[in-house]
């Protein structure tokens, strides 16, 4: 299933991704640090959604209380709650 999540408090404006049978794929961040976010997308590809959400949740960026990785965790949690 395809999901789009509007981020809060990060340079990336949104995250698009898929969850099929509990597995994350096709993660694309809009905005943000292009190289780092492409790396995150590659690292989470094919992994269990619940594992990725647990791993990335609470990650911060600089003085912010969130990060693009934390927002991906929030997006995954929201998507799993919808399912």
């Amino acid at each position: 299933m395809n999901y789009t999540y509007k981020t809060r408090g990060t340079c990336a404006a949104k995250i698009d991704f898929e969850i099929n049978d509990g597995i994350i794929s096709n993660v694309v961040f809009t905005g943000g640090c292009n190289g780092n976010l492409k790396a995150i997308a590659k690292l989470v590809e094919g992994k269990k959604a619940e594992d990725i959400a647990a791993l990335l949740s609470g990650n911060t960026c600089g003085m912010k209380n969130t990060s693009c990785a934390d927002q991906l965790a929030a997006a995954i949690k929201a998507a799993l709650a919808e399912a």
Side-chain angles (χ1 to χ4, degrees):
M1 186 142 221
N2 294 318
Y3 297 94
T4 297
Y5 183 83
K6 185 174 174 1
T7 61
R8 294 171 188 92
T10 61
C11 298
K14 72 173 183 165
I15 307 168
D16 295 293
F17 61 100
E18 294 179 31
I19 300 178
N20 294 303
D21 298 323
I23 304 299
I24 295 287
S25 63
N26 300 318
V27 176
V28 177
F29 290 84
T30 301
C33 303
N34 189 37
N36 289 334
L37 297 177
K38 283 180 184 176
I40 289 173
K42 286 181 179 183
L43 290 169
V44 303
E45 183 75 20
K47 304 289 191 297
K48 290 182 183 178
E50 290 178 352
D51 293 347
I52 294 303
L55 181 67
L56 298 179
S57 186
N59 189 63
T60 60
C61 181
M63 300 297 287
K64 298 176 184 178
N65 63 356
T66 191
S67 67
C68 292
D70 182 58
Q71 288 294 290
L72 177 56
I76 292 168
K77 289 176 186 177
L80 292 174
E82 279 183 29

